[in-house]
Each structure stands twice: as structure tokens, then as C-alpha cells.
Amino acid sequence: EPGILKINETYDKPFVTGCLEPAVDLPRANGAFVVLARNKELDGVIQSMKSIERHFNHWFHYPYVFLNDGEFNESFKATVKKYASSDVEFGQIDPSMWGFPDWVNHDDAKEAIAKQGDRVIMYGGMESYHHMCRFYSGFFYKHPLLDKYKWYWRLEPDIKYFCDITYDPFVHMERHNKTYGYTIAVKELKETVPNLFRYATAYKRLNKIPTTGLWDMFADRSEPPKEDVADSADVTEDIPKTSPRKPLPDIDGENMEGEKYNMCHFWSNFEIARLDFFRSKEYEDFFQMMDKSGGFWTERWGDAPIHSLAAGILLDTKDIHYFRDFGYRHTTIQHCPANAPGKQLTRKPFYHAEDMQRNKRLAKEDDAYWANYDTPKHNGVGCH
Ligand code: GDP
Ligand code: MN
């Protein structure tokens, strides 16, 4: 099936199953929560902080970095500090990282956005949303307050964690050599990204990047149904060309290999990832090419499909971790570990990354256990 990886034997295992005492006395990773928010979202921010503190951070005390294109007011800052069990920093985003860049015609871009509003594309007519998506696609990891960090955990207003997270996911990702972690993968609204895949795959092709197993999660090689073709042609027809667009094959949504985007993406309001993935030359080149196409204005490209296709091109399955053990909800979509595919496991886990000496016996048991773990077909690497 498109959107489902067929690599069951090699797909990674959950870091932890069952309960354990949080390993609070062990070293931390160099990570932080990153929260982009506006003053008016304070209530939602507090809800998210209460949840992550209760289920994780009151043991682990990872710092928070709050970012805003505007200025956080004093009551926002004071309230947030009250709910944090760790250090908090507040940063304002420089205009060079937010808003229309010089090289784009602002009037044309605004018109393109207004037209997406007319077509009732979700958030399509909201200029600030386009800026937010572009910021999360190409800039957040360049914010000076994140310079000192190697890892980030993205937190949004109005999210909820259901289950205790009694181990340190940063440390585990480091130990298992993971780059990007997610907990929900869903399908994108295709009218928001009619040409995203063409540009993304052009990057892949022009740079002669070999196809990895992860690409299967996003690329659909089957023939699309007839009405799909009509739909996407319809959507792209009246998109004004506001910026230099490189010549590309003119079959909407399809690349030169005859692949189509299946719309699957990691839902990026939750992410735990290495910042150096985004800071790499490859990701920067990818972002520049996407950005210069004008798609952040002429269409409503979300940072989620941008991050996902970049991962699909530049990473492999082994670099990705599915946090199936995290109970997580945002708006109407949630992931519940009890419903996650696979066996229900009750074993006490091996949990510590660096202290191999102390945990040697546990590690050995753990390896033996996982060697016999029967990986189910729908291992969760696929779209909800
Ligand atoms: P949704 O989850 O796709 O519905 O989008 P949200 O409205 O939750 O926005 C995603 C994230 O970006 C959230 O953390 C918001 O607080 C933040 N955000 C969205 N627009 C803006 C904006 O204009 N300014 C700031 N500072 N944050 C924003
Ligand atoms: Mn949100």
C-alpha cells in the first residue's frame, strides 16, 4: 500500500514499553523545548506546559525557548515562568526570519494569499500562517537562542500528553542514532500543496540523491484516480507566478519519475529532532530551492510536509523514530499508545543511554528481548 513502509524487519523498535522509575539522576542531553506562540495564546500555552510538566518535565527539567514574531508581554512571561520547572528564555524573531523577503513582490504575494482565501483553502488566506510555516521550514533552527542546543522538542499551544514519559527521549535518540522523531503521521490537504512535490523531487533529482527506503512513505507510484487529476489541475490553474520559478515538468503534483505525493507527512506540531539536520548544507539547499519557487505564498505549504519530504530525501528509515509510546493529542487528532499497532508489552525496559557499565545486564536482556520482538505489519510507519 502506498504510504506504508514495507520494511518490517528493519524498522526501529520502541525505545521503552511498560513503566519504570524515571532516571532522574542521569545526564541530560543538550536539548530544549521550542514554543512559537503569541501573547493571546497564553491559555493554550499553559495547558500544554501543565501537560508536559506533569507527564515528563517535572522529572527532567529541560529548558524552554519561547519565540514570537512580536514581543512577549510581561504577564505572558511571568505566567509561563510560573508553570516551568526549568529555565525559560524568550526571544523575538528578527524580521529577516519572518515575513516576505526582499526578493518577492509583496503585492503579488498578498494577492496570491487572498486568492487562496477565496478558494477557502485551510489557512490559505491567512498571511501570518504562511509566515509561520516558512519560519518553521527554514528559520527556527537559526534563531540565536537555539544556537547552544543540539536537540529540540517542539511544543504547541493546546496540546495534551496522556501518558507519563518516564525516560529521556533525547538521550534515547542520541543512543540509537536517530535524527527525527514523530508520533502522528497524517495526510495533507492536497489543495495546500499542489506543486510541493514537483519542487522537492526536482531537488532530489538535480542533486542526484539516491532514493532511500523512507521515500516509500511519501511517494505514490500508482496511477491516480481520474478525478484527482482534474482536481489538482483546477487548483493550480489560477496561481499567480509571483517569483522566479525554475522550469520544471508541467504535470501538476507529479515528478519526472511518474511518482505523486501521497500527502503523507509527519505532523510537525510534535517533533523531537536534531537541529544539525536542519542546519546541514543539504537541508539549507533544499529550503532555498523550495523558498525561491514562491510556494510559501503561491500555495500554502506547511512546515510539516516540508520537513517530511526533506527527511524522505535526505534521511533513511533507520534515522526516524516513531514515538508510538507517547499519548498525544492536538485539536481533533490524537495518538493513543494502547491503539498503536503491535503487541502490548509489559516488560520493564532498559532505559539509559550513556551508563552502559551500570546497565550492562539490562542491556543484554533488552537486546535478547527485542531480537525476538515480532514486528507487526502495520508498524505505525504510515499515515493515520
Ligand atoms: P495549526 O496547529 O496548524 O492549527 O496552527 P497554529 O495556529 O497552532 O500555529 C502553529 C504554531 O505556530 C503554534 O505554536 C502557534 O502558536 C504559532 N503561530 C501561528 N501563527 C503565529 C504568528 O503569527 N505569530 C506567532 N508568534 N506564532 C504563531
Ligand atoms: Mn496548533
Side-chain angles (χ1 to χ4, degrees):
E1 282 174 64
I4 305 283
L5 285 176
K6 299 166 198 72
I7 41 147
N8 301 324
E9 270 63 51
T10 55
Y11 181 61
D12 76 318
K13 299 159 177 67
F15 289 142
V16 164
T17 56
C19 298
L20 77 169
E21 287 299 309
V24 293
D25 57 336
L26 299 169
R28 298 287 179 268
N30 182 14
F33 291 104
V34 174
V35 194
L36 178 71
R38 292 158 285 199
N39 290 314
K40 65 178 182 195
E41 292 174 295
L42 182 59
D43 289 348
V45 165
I46 296 311
Q47 187 209 289
S48 298
M49 290 181 76
K50 277 183 177 169
S51 181
I52 197 67
E53 285 292 338
R54 173 181 165 195
H55 290 292
F56 172 76
N57 212 40
H58 78 283
W59 295 303
F60 291 92
H61 308 300
Y62 275 99
Y64 295 81
V65 176
F66 282 84
L67 300 176
N68 187 356
D69 58 309
E71 210 176 321
F72 284 119
N73 60 39
E74 288 310 315
S75 90
F76 185 98
K77 291 195 267 193
T79 313
V80 158
K81 279 187 190 159
K82 239 174 43 197
Y83 285 93
S85 69
S86 54
D87 290 342
V88 186
E89 286 188 288
F90 299 93
Q92 194 165 350
I93 297 162
D94 189 83
S96 63
M97 296 188 178
W98 190 278
F100 300 119
D102 296 340
W103 50 262
V104 79
N105 180 312
H106 296 196
D107 294 336
D108 289 353
K110 279 174 195 278
E111 196 189 318
I113 289 168
K115 280 197 170 165
Q116 292 165 62
D118 295 344
R119 295 208 307 275
V120 210
I121 290 171
M122 195 178 178
Y123 294 127
M126 196 193 250
E127 187 184 311
S128 63
Y129 199 88
H130 289 256
H131 296 325
M132 179 275 289
C133 292
R134 184 169 173 266
F135 173 74
Y136 260 133
S137 296
F139 298 97
F140 78 97
Y141 48 90
K142 297 168 186 157
H143 192 282
L145 285 183
L146 294 189
D147 281 352
K148 56 183 172 291
Y149 296 113
K150 183 174 174 190
W151 294 92
Y152 74 97
W153 181 335
R154 177 162 157 186
L155 197 66
E156 268 207 11
D158 298 306
I159 59 95
K160 203 167 184 170
Y161 285 91
F162 308 135
C163 313
D164 285 355
I165 300 164
T166 49
Y167 65 98
D168 184 330
F170 293 124
V171 166
H172 276 253
M173 285 188 69
E174 207 150 72
R175 169 173 143 79
H176 294 276
N177 237 330
K178 301 291 178 183
T179 300
Y180 186 94
Y182 74 101
T183 184
I184 292 175
V186 284
K187 301 267 182 165
E188 185 54 286
L189 301 165
K190 67 181 175 186
E191 63 273 20
T192 65
V193 288
N195 288 288
L196 174 70
F197 193 70
R198 290 203 298 120
Y199 284 102
T201 52
Y203 167 83
K204 179 171 176 280
R205 191 176 62 251
L206 292 171
N207 291 286
K208 299 186 170 58
I209 299 171
T211 300
T212 70
L214 187 60
W215 189 241
D216 282 352
M217 188 164 172
F218 308 110
D220 179 358
R221 291 177 196 90
S222 63
E223 200 58 42
K226 282 276 177 309
E227 59 272 21
D228 273 10
V229 176
D231 270 10
S232 62
D234 205 38
V235 163
T236 44
E237 215 163 73
D238 58 356
I239 291 172
K241 305 201 174 356
T242 57
S243 54
R245 293 177 79 135
K246 295 216 178 73
L248 283 165
D250 53 9
I251 315 158
D252 293 328
E254 198 170 322
N255 72 6
M256 286 181 93
E257 280 80 48
E259 295 169 322
K260 274 180 92 78
Y261 183 27
N262 65 13
M263 302 296 150
C264 188
H265 62 285
F266 304 126
W267 212 33
S268 63
N269 50 73
F270 167 92
E271 284 180 326
I272 300 180
R274 280 178 73 116
L275 287 156
D276 61 6
F277 168 60
F278 295 100
R279 291 168 180 155
S280 68
K281 182 183 181 307
E282 289 77 11
Y283 185 87
E284 181 62 21
D285 290 348
F286 173 79
F287 172 71
Q288 287 304 330
M289 177 164 175
M290 302 308 284
D291 196 28
K292 291 295 173 328
S293 79
F296 286 106
W297 332 114
T298 58
E299 299 180 5
R300 204 232 72 207
W301 292 354
D303 53 282
I306 292 277
H307 289 186
S308 301
L309 290 180
I313 293 167
L314 299 170
L315 301 176
D316 204 345
T317 323
K318 66 173 174 19
D319 306 312
I320 304 293
H321 186 70
Y322 170 38
F323 282 100
R324 79 196 66 184
D325 51 333
F326 282 18
Y328 179 78
R329 181 185 180 97
H330 181 40
T331 62
T332 54
I333 305 179
Q334 67 175 12
H335 169 76
C336 174
N339 299 334
K343 277 185 192 163
Q344 297 306 307
L345 301 160
T346 52
R347 186 178 166 278
K348 207 170 163 79
F350 162 69
Y351 57 83
H352 185 241
E354 270 104 34
D355 200 349
M356 286 299 287
Q357 280 309 100
R358 192 175 124 194
N359 289 307
K360 215 170 174 177
R361 188 180 53 81
L362 276 171
K364 224 170 142 182
E365 271 178 25
D366 192 65
D367 289 346
Y369 177 81
W370 286 120
N372 296 319
Y373 180 73
D374 175 24
T375 312
K377 178 152 193 292
H378 289 250
N379 209 340
V381 191
C383 259
H384 284 66

